[in-house]
Amino acid sequence: MSEQHIPYKMYLNENEIPSAWYNLRADMPIKPAPLLNPGTKQPMTVDELSGVFCRELAEQELDNDTRFIPIPAEIRDFYRMYRPSPLVRAYFLEEKLGTPAHIYYKFEGNNTSGSHKLNSAVAQAYYAKKQGLRGVTTETGAGQWGTALSMACSFFGLDCKVYMVKVSYEQKPFRREVMRTYGASVTPSPSMDTAIGRKINAEHPGTTGSLGCAISEAVETAVGTPGYRYVLGSVLNQVLLHQSVIGLETKAVLDKYGVKADIVIGCAGGGSNLGGLIAPFMGEKLRGENDYRIIAVEPASCPSFTRGRYAYDFADTGMVCPLAKMYTLGADFIPAPNHAGGLRYHGMSPVLSELYHEGLMEAVSVKQTDVFEAAELFARVEGILPAPESSHAIRVAIDEALKCKETGEAKNIVFGLTGTGYFDMLAYEKFHDGKMTDYVPTDEELAVYAAKLPQID
Ligand SMILES: *Cc1c(COP(=O)(O)O)cnc(C)c1O
C-alpha cells in the first residue's frame, strides 16, 4: 500500500470542517413540490410550520433560494468532537474483489450514536435551545436518530422525549439505554399516552408499530406540551441541508487528492444521508459542470423509489403532519419487519423524489440476505462492522465494482457508510443461522395502500 499516492484514510483538517451547509434546492431549476397544509391543502407558511418546528428550522425548511447557510459556531464546535469524518480508500475490499475500480467510503459511524444522524440532531437541538424552548419530541425506528438526538439535547440542556417503534424498543434494549444514559425518556410506539397511539392500538391489536405512527405520537405530544417542538431525523429539506456536511467534506477531500468520482452511492430510508452525500455532486451536475451517476439503494421490502408512486401523501399515519409530494408506498404501509430499521419509512425526501423523477439519479432495491452477505464480506476485509442500513450501499458498491471487473474499467466509486451495526447483532444472528427471510411485497399488496393516497392535483 505504501507506494500508493492515496492514503487509506483521507482526512481533512479540523479547520476544514465546512463553515456553511449547502442548500441543493438553490441549484434545482425545478424545486421540490411545496409542503401542503393537511387542512387547507395550501402551501405551508413559515408561521404555520413554526407551530410544530422551531422557527429557524421552519425557515430552512422553506428556503429554496439561499445556496449556502452558515453553520453557527456552537454547531461547528460540536462537529469538532467527531468531524471531519474520514473518507477511506477501500484498498482491502478492492483487492478482495479483484476489481480495477477504486472504491471510497465516507464513514459516519465514528461517534457514540453510531450514525450520520448526529449531524442534524445537533443542529436541531441548537436552534430549539436558541429559541428558548424546554424540550423536543421525536420518533425513532432502529434507534439511531433517538440516540443522536439524546446526545445533542443533553449537550444543550434540552428535554428529549422519544417515541420508539415498538419492534425496535423490544429488539434493541441497548439502544434504549444509551438514550436514557443521555437523559431522554423513551416510550414504545404505538403507546397508550396519545390519542393516535390508542387509536392505532385499537385498530391493529398487537402491532409492532411503524415510523409513521411514532411520528404522529411525537407531533401530538409536541403540539400539546407548552415549550416543546417536534424534530425529525430524515426526509425533511432542513435535514438534507444539515447532512450536506457529509458531501461537502467528501467532495473537498476528493478534490484535495485530485480524484473525480464516477458513481456516488448511498442507502435511502428517508433520504437524508444520500441527499447530504450527493449534494455538491448533484449541484455540479445541475449546473452542467460535471456528470456523475448517482444511485439510491433501498430495501426490496420497502421500495419507495422503485415501486412507489410520486404523489402527495401524509408523512405520518395520523395525518397530522404536512402533506409532502414524494415517492411513497402510502402512509398506512407497514413494511415487513426488515432488519434495517432506518430504511422502513414509507416515503422519501421531496428533494430526492424530484431529482429522481427528472431522471437525475437512479434507484435500485436489494434483498436483505444479499445485503448481509455484503456486510459480512465488508466487515472481514475492511474491519468495520457496518449497520444493516449502510450495508445496502455496500451491496451496490460491490456490484458496481464487480461490473468494472468485467469491463476492465477503473471507475471511482464513492459510497456512504452511514454507521456501525453493534446494536444490530440480532439481525446478524438471523443471517448466520440461515433464518433471515427476504420478504418482498406483491403488486397487489402495494396497490391496496396506493389506492388510499390522498387525491390532490
Ligand atoms: C437512519 C439511518 C439511515 C437511513 O436514513 P436516511 O435519512 O435515508 O439517511 C441509514 N443508515 C443509518 C446508519 C441510519 O441510522
Side-chain angles (χ1 to χ4, degrees):
M1 197 186 289
S2 55
E3 72 269 11
Q4 299 284 348
H5 158 62
I6 293 177
Y8 183 70
K9 276 193 182 136
M10 303 158 72
Y11 276 113
L12 292 171
N13 298 319
E14 203 174 288
N15 59 14
E16 293 172 297
I17 293 174
S19 53
W21 293 300
Y22 168 52
N23 184 4
L24 178 60
R25 285 168 282 163
D27 281 317
M28 290 171 68
I30 306 175
K31 306 297 178 194
L35 295 174
L36 301 184
N37 180 313
T40 64
K41 310 282 190 299
Q42 292 303 306
M44 293 288 285
T45 61
V46 169
D47 280 342
E48 286 172 323
L49 276 180
S50 299
V52 181
F53 302 118
C54 52
R55 183 95 200 168
E56 201 136 352
L57 292 168
E59 281 165 8
Q60 291 180 359
E61 190 60 32
L62 299 189
D63 187 340
N64 284 341
D65 305 309
T66 312
R67 189 170 274 126
F68 287 99
I69 296 180
I71 304 177
E74 292 85 344
I75 299 175
R76 280 190 93 212
D77 281 344
F78 188 96
Y79 280 169
R80 280 178 222 283
M81 281 197 261
Y82 66 102
R83 309 204 69 84
S85 67
L87 183 74
V88 182
R89 170 79 187 271
Y91 281 113
F92 298 114
L93 180 61
E94 291 170 16
E95 194 181 318
K96 176 77 183 174
L97 299 175
T99 176
H102 294 185
I103 307 174
Y104 301 84
Y105 59 90
K106 179 70 166 166
F107 182 45
E108 290 291 320
N110 256 339
N111 67 78
T112 295
S113 78
S115 84
H116 66 284
K117 294 208 171 65
L118 194 54
N119 300 330
S120 183
V122 58
Q124 298 195 45
Y126 166 79
Y127 289 118
K129 185 68 186 179
K130 195 174 153 216
Q131 190 175 321
L133 298 175
R134 281 173 49 215
V136 292
T137 70
T138 198
E139 77 296 329
T140 196
Q144 289 96 321
W145 168 245
T147 313
L149 189 68
S150 309
M151 290 176 70
C153 285
S154 74
F155 188 82
F156 288 114
L158 274 176
D159 186 32
C160 179
K161 290 187 199 300
V162 181
Y163 288 90
M164 185 169 187
V165 177
K166 195 177 272 172
V167 62
S168 300
Y169 184 90
E170 285 161 2
Q171 280 183 3
K172 301 190 176 180
F174 297 137
R175 276 227 178 265
R176 186 176 79 212
E177 291 316 313
V178 179
M179 287 185 250
R180 291 179 7 144
T181 301
Y182 286 96
S185 73
V186 189
T187 307
S189 167
S191 74
M192 298 301 278
D193 301 358
T194 63
I196 183 69
R198 288 188 291 271
K199 179 165 177 273
I200 290 170
N201 271 315
E203 286 171 5
H204 306 273
T207 176
T208 52
S210 69
L211 271 181
C213 164
I215 294 174
S216 302
E217 289 205 274
V219 172
E220 184 182 321
T221 302
V223 172
T225 317
Y228 279 71
R229 290 293 187 283
Y230 166 69
V231 294
L232 179 60
S234 184
V235 186
L236 295 173
N237 299 338
Q238 57 184 278
V239 184
L240 268 75
L241 173 73
H242 306 146
Q243 295 297 356
S244 69
V245 70
I246 304 173
L248 292 168
E249 285 183 9
T250 304
K251 184 77 175 49
V253 83
L254 286 173
D255 287 350
K256 193 164 166 173
Y257 286 95
V259 178
K260 152 79 176 60
D262 296 302
I263 310 178
V264 185
I265 301 168
C267 62
S272 75
N273 86 84
L274 180 66
L277 174 66
I278 69 172
F281 301 96
M282 184 60 89
E284 287 190 349
K285 187 165 167 156
L286 288 169
R287 297 190 302 269
E289 296 163 10
N290 247 325
D291 199 16
Y292 302 96
R293 262 186 80 200
I294 291 169
I295 310 176
V297 191
E298 59 186 12
S301 59
C302 193
S304 327
F305 267 137
T306 51
R307 296 175 67 199
R309 309 273 171 98
Y310 189 35
Y312 268 104
D313 193 10
F314 292 97
D316 62 322
T317 316
M319 305 180 189
V320 292
C321 289
L323 287 154
K325 188 174 180 191
M326 57 187 175
Y327 277 85
T328 179
L329 297 167
D332 289 339
F333 178 76
I334 297 186
N338 172 292
H339 291 289
L343 305 183
R344 295 184 68 214
Y345 186 63
H346 65 273
M348 188 54 68
S349 141
V351 171
L352 295 187
S353 292
E354 180 56 35
L355 294 168
Y356 180 67
H357 185 65
E358 290 173 39
L360 291 159
M361 53 184 278
E362 306 163 35
V364 290
S365 72
V366 289
K367 289 187 184 157
Q368 66 173 350
T369 49
D370 295 337
V371 166
F372 276 81
E373 191 185 283
E376 195 174 77
L377 188 153
F378 183 83
R380 290 181 185 180
V381 295
E382 288 289 325
I384 295 170
L385 180 79
E389 293 88 350
S390 324
S391 305
H392 286 68
I394 299 177
R395 173 73 265 167
V396 172
I398 290 177
D399 291 345
E400 289 297 329
L402 290 175
K403 282 184 206 160
C404 288
K405 189 174 174 176
E406 280 170 26
T407 60
E409 288 170 289
K411 286 188 183 157
N412 291 319
I413 301 172
V414 178
F415 75 90
L417 187 68
T418 50
T420 46
Y422 304 121
F423 292 111
D424 300 286
M425 297 325 288
L426 281 174
Y428 275 90
E429 180 186 51
K430 279 229 166 75
F431 175 69
H432 295 142
D433 291 346
K435 289 183 183 152
M436 181 169 277
T437 53
D438 280 321
Y439 185 77
V440 180
T442 63
D443 288 342
E444 291 70 30
E445 266 175 90
L446 293 182
V448 170
Y449 296 100
K452 289 199 262 180
L453 287 170
Q455 296 303 311
I456 289 165
D457 11 79

